[in-house]
Amino acid sequence: MAVWARQVSRWCCLLNTARAAAFPRRLRSRGCTARARREFAPLAVLPAGKEVVLWRLQAYRHVAVGSCSPPDSAKDGSLSSPESNLPSVQQEQVKAETLPDLNVKILDEGWDDIPPSSALQVISEEEAVQIIAEPLLPIQSSTLRDYVDHSETLAKLVHLGVDLSQVEKHQKAGQLLLTLDFEKDVKKILLFLKDVGVEDNQLGRFLTKNPYILGEDLEALETRVAYLKSKKFGKSEIAQMVSRAPYLLLFSVERLDNRLGFFKNELGLSVKKTKDLVIRLPRLLTGKLEPIKENLQVCQIELGFQRNEIQQIVSKTPKILTASKKRLKQTFDYLHNIMGIPHHMLARFPQVFNSKLLRIRERHTFLAFLGRAQYDPAQPSYISLDQLVSLPDEVFCTEIAKASMQDFEKFLKTL
């Protein structure tokens, strides 16, 4: 009797397992959603491996066709097969036998959420070759070269001829370029510069010297150009000024107006001469005023030029306003005190101040050796200061010194 009880208990356990396995299938046949099936499905239907499920079905079929009776039949001593006394069990058996082979794939069909593929999943060599890995963006770098492959803006600026190695030397210029979008921020500035008159082959050099203009507001730039036009600067003159002084358009209208007013009032120049001055040397509008004021004082106080002579010198040679004070005084001392050139002659040929003092000394010494150092226009064999410093050595020797180039070279070796 104890053996029979154990068999019945085992049979009931297997029957419940079969019912639990068939329960999700009945839910699908009745149109239940996957979510409902998950909520009502017993733990027995969770994927536990193909072998375990098949073993349970085989055990169920074996018990269903064996000689066993329910507990009620055991009480009255009748021995009959389960099929004759329990028709419901037979129905469950038929349904269980119509189930297809339960494998992992079929069990997973009832689930909505399919887990993603693992990062450790093995792939073929062909699939591995097709994977394109993006280059890593440097977290920190001291050169913009490391970011060119990651930035469309930098790549196109390099194509225009911008020297990023020089841009890096400007404070915070590299950070600015990395934050700009070429289509949204850079393109409109390039079109503006071309409209102002900057040539295509000059854009690279211009942006190398002044990358900050790419971060300027376009409307502010247009306002500054409009101001220059209002001061009667022509289109070609503005283009020349902007190209030669790339920082010009970074200054506000107020600052540009103050600079023009300073040169007009400080030098006593007319409007036309003031315009000509800044056209020839536009960096006068962008540089510091302190060195300019100091040079004006040097010319007037230490060198002894009159106001009208200073106007004449500055109008012909604007660079004298930004020249080194030491070099300016040394050149004047040699011209005036050694060569005997008066102030009015120096004001007439101020370009002599742009020449190297060594060149002036060598040629004057050679002419003095030959007895031809004559700089007074009222005397015969007059030699102008312009001829003294501007002519090439060969022309200077043959036309001015009336000597050969070999004689001049031999003389220089004796100095």
Side-chain angles (χ1 to χ4, degrees), residues 10 14 18 24 34 92-93 109 153 159 186 214 219 241 298 302-303 308 312 350 366 378 383 391 395 409:
R10 182 181 178 185
L14 294 174
E92 294 295 337
Q93 179 185 359
E109 289 178 357
T153 299
H159 183 71
V186 178
L214 296 177
E219 184 177 353
M241 293 169 63
V298 167
E302 298 186 35
L303 305 186
N308 63 326
Q312 190 175 3
F366 184 59
I383 299 175
L391 295 177
V395 179
E409 292 176 348

Side-chain angles (χ1 to χ4, degrees), residues 316-320 323 327 331 350-356 360:
K316 293 182 177 181
T317 312
K319 287 184 178 181
I320 199 171
R327 176 183 173 185
T331 302
Q351 59 269 27
V352 71
F353 288 101
N354 291 333
S355 301
K356 293 181 179 181
I360 297 174

Side-chain angles (χ1 to χ4, degrees), residues 152-207:
E152 178 189 11
T153 299
L154 292 182
K156 291 188 175 181
L157 290 178
V158 170
H159 183 71
L160 285 173
V162 177
D163 188 349
L164 296 182
S165 64
Q166 297 298 319
V167 173
E168 296 167 358
K169 298 178 182 180
H170 299 286
Q171 186 178 12
K172 296 184 179 181
Q175 293 89 327
L176 172 65
L177 296 186
L178 289 174
T179 61
L180 298 178
D181 180 83
F182 186 85
E183 294 295 330
K184 181 181 177 181
D185 304 317
V186 178
K187 189 175 181 179
K188 60 183 180 181
I189 303 298
L190 296 178
L191 294 176
F192 164 78
L193 292 175
K194 290 182 65 176
D195 185 65
V196 169
V198 180
E199 300 293 336
D200 292 346
N201 57 1
Q202 296 178 343
L203 284 174
R205 183 180 63 87
F206 182 94
L207 295 176

Side-chain angles (χ1 to χ4, degrees), residues 61-72:
R61 293 191 183 102
H62 176 75
V63 175
V65 298
S67 298
C68 60
S69 301
D72 294 339

Side-chain angles (χ1 to χ4, degrees), residues 317 319 323-324 326-335 339 349-365 385-391 393 408 412:
T317 312
K319 287 184 178 181
S324 167
K326 180 179 179 180
R327 176 183 173 185
L328 186 62
K329 290 188 289 186
Q330 288 177 345
T331 302
F332 173 82
D333 180 70
Y334 190 84
L335 290 170
M339 297 176 58
F349 300 101
Q351 59 269 27
V352 71
F353 288 101
N354 291 333
S355 301
K356 293 181 179 181
L357 180 58
L358 177 61
R359 184 185 184 92
I360 297 174
R361 182 184 294 113
E362 290 176 345
R363 293 190 174 188
H364 168 71
T365 306
L385 296 179
D386 182 49
Q387 292 176 327
L388 177 69
V389 298
S390 62
L391 295 177
D393 287 341
F408 184 53
L412 294 179

Side-chain angles (χ1 to χ4, degrees), residues 51 56 133 170 175 186 217 242 270 281 307 322 339 396:
E51 293 77 5
R56 289 179 178 177
H170 299 286
Q175 293 89 327
V186 178
D217 180 69
V242 171
S270 63
L281 193 64
R307 183 178 176 84
T322 58
M339 297 176 58
F396 167 77

Side-chain angles (χ1 to χ4, degrees), residues 128-266:
V129 172
Q130 294 176 358
I131 297 177
I132 300 176
E134 294 292 336
L136 296 177
L137 182 66
I139 299 177
Q140 185 177 2
S141 177
S142 60
T143 175
L144 288 173
R145 180 178 54 192
D146 294 337
Y147 296 92
V148 173
D149 293 336
H150 306 272
S151 172
E152 178 189 11
T153 299
L154 292 182
K156 291 188 175 181
L157 290 178
V158 170
H159 183 71
L160 285 173
V162 177
D163 188 349
L164 296 182
S165 64
Q166 297 298 319
V167 173
E168 296 167 358
K169 298 178 182 180
H170 299 286
Q171 186 178 12
K172 296 184 179 181
Q175 293 89 327
L176 172 65
L177 296 186
L178 289 174
T179 61
L180 298 178
D181 180 83
F182 186 85
E183 294 295 330
K184 181 181 177 181
D185 304 317
V186 178
K187 189 175 181 179
K188 60 183 180 181
I189 303 298
L190 296 178
L191 294 176
F192 164 78
L193 292 175
K194 290 182 65 176
D195 185 65
V196 169
V198 180
E199 300 293 336
D200 292 346
N201 57 1
Q202 296 178 343
L203 284 174
R205 183 180 63 87
F206 182 94
L207 295 176
T208 299
K209 293 184 177 180
N210 180 20
Y212 303 110
I213 197 171
L214 296 177
E216 286 290 305
D217 180 69
L218 180 60
E219 184 177 353
L221 295 175
E222 293 174 342
T223 301
R224 294 159 193 169
V225 173
Y227 167 78
L228 294 176
K229 292 180 178 179
S230 69
K231 293 299 180 180
K232 307 304 180 183
F233 288 95
K235 183 177 177 63
S236 60
E237 294 170 342
I238 295 176
Q240 177 181 344
M241 293 169 63
V242 171
S243 298
R244 296 179 61 186
Y247 284 98
L248 178 62
L249 295 181
L250 294 185
F251 296 102
S252 64
V253 170
E254 291 76 12
R255 176 164 180 168
L256 294 176
D257 188 68
N258 290 336
R259 286 298 178 92
L260 290 174
F262 169 79
F263 291 111
K264 180 179 181 299
N265 298 328
E266 192 73 15

Side-chain angles (χ1 to χ4, degrees), residues 4-67:
W4 170 254
R6 286 195 299 270
Q7 291 178 348
V8 171
S9 177
R10 182 181 178 185
W11 177 84
C12 292
C13 180
L14 294 174
L15 179 60
N16 291 333
T17 302
R19 286 178 176 177
F23 183 72
R25 186 176 182 86
R26 292 199 300 271
L27 289 178
R28 287 197 298 269
S29 65
R30 295 176 183 178
C32 293
T33 62
R35 181 177 180 181
R37 293 197 297 271
R38 288 196 297 271
E39 293 175 352
F40 291 99
L43 295 177
V45 300
L46 292 176
K50 177 178 179 181
E51 293 77 5
V52 177
V53 177
L54 292 178
W55 177 85
R56 289 179 178 177
L57 289 177
Q58 291 173 359
Y60 165 69
R61 293 191 183 102
H62 176 75
V63 175
V65 298
S67 298

